[in-house]
Amino acid sequence: MRRRRRTDWAKWALGIYFVLFLIFLYTPMMLMGVLSFQGVYGAITFPFRGPVGLRWWHALFDSSLPSSHAAEIQSAGAQSLWVSFAAGAIVAVLAFTLSMAFRRKFPLQGLAFYVIMLALMTPGYLLALGTQLFWKFMGIDTSLWKTALGTNVVWGIPFGFLVMLAVWNRYDYHIEEAARDLGADQKRAFREVTLPLVWTGIFGGFLFGFTLMWNDYDRTVLLLSGSEASTLPVQIAGLTLTTAIRPDLYALGMATTLLSLFTIALVLGVVGVRLRLRATPVHKVEEEFGLGGGLEVESEAPPSSAS
Amino acid sequence: MATEGAATAVPSSSGVSGLDLVKLTKVFPGGGVAVSDVNLHVDHGEYVVLLGPSGCGKTTTLRMIGGHEFPTSGDILLDGESLVYMQPHKRPTTTVFQHFALFPHRTVLQNVEFGLKMHGVGKEERRKTSLEALEMVGLEQLSDRYPRALSGGQQQRVALARVLVTKPTALLLDEPLGDLDRLLQLRMRVELRNLQRQLGLMFLHVTHNQEEALSMADRIVVMNDARIHQIADPLTIATKPATELVARFMGDNNIIRGKVVEREGTRLVVEDDHGVRVSVQAPGEATSVGEPAMVAVRAAAVEVVENVGGPALNSAECEIVFVEFLGDLVKLHLTVGGERMLAKVPGERYPSFRGREGEKIRISWREDDGQLLHA
Ligand SMILES: Nc1ncnc2c1ncn2[C@@H]1O[C@H](COP(=O)(O)OP(=O)(O)OP(=O)(O)O)[C@@H](O)[C@H]1O
Ligand SMILES: [Mg+2]
């Protein structure tokens, strides 16, 4: 009896903790959402100043409205989107090819692993500072599409790399050998068997590269050249510093969040359908992306270079 | 016939038909010797089973033949041509992998078609041949399923159909029945063997299951610790083990370890520390009086005689330790001065042994059932 009651208490406590956690996580965003629907005299804090309307949302898209930042925000948004796509693609390809090397043992593998992981540990701002100094020293101007993108890619690679290690960890190499046995040369086996079995991991690497670049401020801010359009995070930070903060920033925050949610839903949908079609032993989406056994792999992955 | 040693030697060729492993050796980096100096000839149409305990190098041997592992030294010849430098996809061998290694992202039919597709066979013909192969293994109605939705036995058949459509010269099977439950295993043994007879192909089958090897093989190769211990037909392996390891691994053998006390012609008499004397025919053996020797006597060849006393040669007085009834036979666990012995007698005789633990009994065997072992 006593034992059963204790379990119930634990459940209640955990339930309450979970609700508090949700509130902690999502209230700021919901408040922002609420405040973005204020009227012309809306401010950035409560009380809510009516009437309820879409004025601030409008200001995101219509630069003819007085004191609208639509033009800057839109160009920064587009810039961010493209450069994030580029970062995602580069991270996906590099992390994947790097991880291919780790399928076999090679001398100094352990060292190579830690070198790749180093970018994960280095504070972003310092990395940017170092990069800036380096290129200054080399006499080359920093810019978004060169240095900022490069630094973010360096940062993103370890994430994509870990995802791929997890994928290889549960990959059955015999399947590839079977393909070779049945007459596929190395290229063919790669195309017909390896790639279809691990592309979700590669896609996971892309998502990491994309989101890291999309959200990055530390690494980007120092590495832009003054003249060019900046990325969304840098633009927003600039607006909060130079002009009065207004509810259109909240609308912007909500808009990007909704976009992210939509993208995630889309990805889950695609992977879910794919999983059902293929009916592999992988039942969870996070496993499909190689995120399931991630930690386990991290501790196992660096094989000692000596042996 | 064969070249000396290294994989770096010029590929040799000879008129021999069949598969030849010549001084095949694999040392893994780090010093693990997985396969050491293996010599083996397999004829076309022959069913050969590689048998040995876990870690003895069976899989590694198979992988070298299939081209998935590069030999440290030695040669692999198929019909006199060296395969060592040939890429796996060019070799006329295919493997049924231990866990089948089906392509999870392809349907059963697509799995079977894969080999033909790689060999550039047209779509229509590919489909037709694959469906025929599936029919042969009785799975034509499951051709649209994905491998995950199949039972172990069905996956096994798909794996077979998949390799058979490519018409390999030699089929390599790595513990093909290991993943199946016992009843299915027994059925697949027969099916696999029938299929092989029907196709007349060379099968090289790896297992650690003695019974499976005895029931399926034309010839058995017993391996241990990277080396071949004995190559012989199942009857010989079961009744005339060449080494102590084979005798122990095949099980139910009495091993009498002692010294040679007499020698007349090819006949030796060996006596152990407890006075058990066993005579054995050992033609071609140079063992002389006073040297250590080992003799194996199968438990099934041991007779139980009730009268205590009697001739000392090929006989021993034992104490019954435990009577184990197994239905159609009884295993008598015996001891001679601490040395374990085993006798297998027909199950009908159980009543006459039941409850007699601790009593003395005399066992004997015929000289022909003694087998001199090599170290
Ligand atoms: N890639 C490898 N690197 C290092 N050692 C290996 C490698 N593959 C196998 N070995 C070692 O070689 C030996 C033989 O292995 P192998 O897989 O051939 O054994 P096996 O007879 O097939 O055993 P089992 O019945 O357990 O499958 C083992 O000691 C194993 O640890
Ligand atoms: Mg094995």
Side-chain angles (χ1 to χ4, degrees), chain A residues 15-37:
Chain A
I16 291 167
Y17 171 71
F18 181 63
V19 170
L20 286 176
F21 180 72
L22 285 184
I23 291 172
F24 172 74
L25 211 58
Y26 290 109
T27 328
M29 224 150 66
M30 288 191 295
L31 291 182
M32 259 173 55
V34 170
L35 289 177
S36 71
F37 293 108

Side-chain angles (χ1 to χ4, degrees), chain B residues 28 34 53-60 175 208:
Chain B
F28 281 108
S54 184
C56 72
K58 307 179 296 285
T59 297
T60 307
E175 313 215 4
H208 55 247

Side-chain angles (χ1 to χ4, degrees), chain A residues 105, chain B residues 26-35 52-63 69 98 174-175 206-208 223 225-226:
Chain A
K105 287 188 177 174
Chain B
K26 177 73 191 182
V27 183
F28 281 108
V33 181
V35 176
S54 184
C56 72
K58 307 179 296 285
T59 297
T60 307
T61 306
L62 220 56
R63 287 173 59 80
E69 211 76 74
Q98 184 162 4
D174 194 357
E175 313 215 4
V206 158
T207 181
H208 55 247
M223 283 185 77
D225 221 0

Side-chain angles (χ1 to χ4, degrees), chain A residues 244-282:
Chain A
I245 311 175
R246 294 168 325 163
D248 55 349
L249 275 185
Y250 292 163
L252 179 60
M254 281 309 287
T256 48
T257 307
L258 288 178
L259 197 71
S260 304
L261 287 179
F262 176 74
T263 315
I264 290 170
L266 196 72
V267 168
L268 292 188
V270 168
V271 174
V273 167
R274 193 181 114 86
L275 284 185
R276 201 140 16 90
L277 274 182
R278 200 180 61 181
T280 54
V282 183

Side-chain angles (χ1 to χ4, degrees), chain A residues 45-278:
Chain A
T45 51
F46 279 103
F48 189 94
R49 294 179 179 83
V52 176
L54 288 175
R55 194 213 173 267
W56 298 109
W57 283 79
H58 225 121
L60 280 185
F61 302 100
D62 190 350
S63 51
S64 65
L65 285 179
S67 74
S68 161
H69 301 302
E72 297 106 294
I73 286 173
Q74 276 172 21
S75 79
Q79 185 91 314
S80 252
L81 202 62
W82 293 126
V83 81
S84 299
F85 264 117
I90 299 171
V91 165
V93 171
L94 290 184
F96 172 64
T97 45
L98 265 178
S99 76
M100 284 286 284
F102 278 74
R103 298 189 349 155
R104 290 184 188 208
K105 287 188 177 174
F106 58 85
L108 299 183
Q109 195 170 27
L111 184 68
F113 178 81
Y114 287 113
V115 169
I116 294 170
M117 285 301 122
L118 201 60
L120 195 73
M121 329 282 185
T122 316
Y125 203 74
L126 288 183
L127 193 64
L129 209 58
T131 312
Q132 193 192 29
L133 278 176
F134 178 76
W135 291 114
K136 277 263 161 63
F137 183 71
M138 300 293 283
I140 296 172
D141 285 337
T142 57
S143 74
L144 177 65
W145 279 91
K146 282 186 257 163
T147 42
L149 176 60
T151 313
N152 272 286
V153 164
V154 168
W155 185 36
I157 283 172
F159 290 92
F161 179 69
L162 283 179
V163 168
M164 281 315 301
L165 283 190
V167 167
W168 293 126
N169 200 38
R170 63 168 177 80
Y171 177 82
D172 182 3
Y173 291 92
H174 292 311
I175 294 178
E176 221 168 281
E177 285 172 358
R180 298 297 312 278
D181 245 27
L182 293 167
D185 59 23
Q186 230 161 1
K187 272 189 208 150
R188 201 82 199 267
F190 179 78
R191 216 172 58 220
E192 301 266 358
V193 175
T194 314
L195 218 47
L197 291 180
V198 303
W199 75 262
T200 41
I202 302 175
F203 189 60
F206 170 83
L207 284 185
F208 264 119
F210 181 90
T211 36
L212 290 176
M213 179 85 229
W214 177 254
N215 290 317
D216 181 62
Y217 175 78
D218 291 359
R219 288 162 189 75
T220 311
V221 66
L222 279 181
L223 295 172
L224 293 173
S225 64
S227 57
E228 63 190 339
S230 59
T231 63
L232 212 48
V234 175
Q235 186 69 41
I236 292 171
L239 287 178
T240 59
L241 289 180
T242 54
T243 54
I245 311 175
R246 294 168 325 163
D248 55 349
L249 275 185
Y250 292 163
L252 179 60
M254 281 309 287
T256 48
T257 307
L258 288 178
L259 197 71
S260 304
L261 287 179
F262 176 74
T263 315
I264 290 170
L266 196 72
V267 168
L268 292 188
V270 168
V271 174
V273 167
R274 193 181 114 86
L275 284 185
R276 201 140 16 90
L277 274 182
R278 200 180 61 181

Side-chain angles (χ1 to χ4, degrees), chain A residues 172 174-186 188-189 191-194 196-197 274 277-281 283 307, chain B residues 63 66 68 87-89 91 93-95 97 99 101-106 111 114-119 146 148 162-163 166:
Chain A
D172 182 3
H174 292 311
I175 294 178
E176 221 168 281
E177 285 172 358
R180 298 297 312 278
D181 245 27
L182 293 167
D185 59 23
Q186 230 161 1
R188 201 82 199 267
R191 216 172 58 220
E192 301 266 358
V193 175
T194 314
L197 291 180
R274 193 181 114 86
L277 274 182
R278 200 180 61 181
T280 54
H283 295 302
S307 64
Chain B
R63 287 173 59 80
H68 304 297
Q87 294 260 7
H89 66 281
R91 295 193 189 199
T93 57
T94 38
T95 312
F97 289 91
H99 306 294
L102 298 178
F103 305 129
H105 58 302
R106 287 164 188 267
N111 261 278
F114 187 85
L116 298 171
K117 191 173 163 192
M118 293 305 115
H119 287 103
Y146 282 87
R148 268 313 284 185
R162 185 175 72 170
V163 295
T166 62

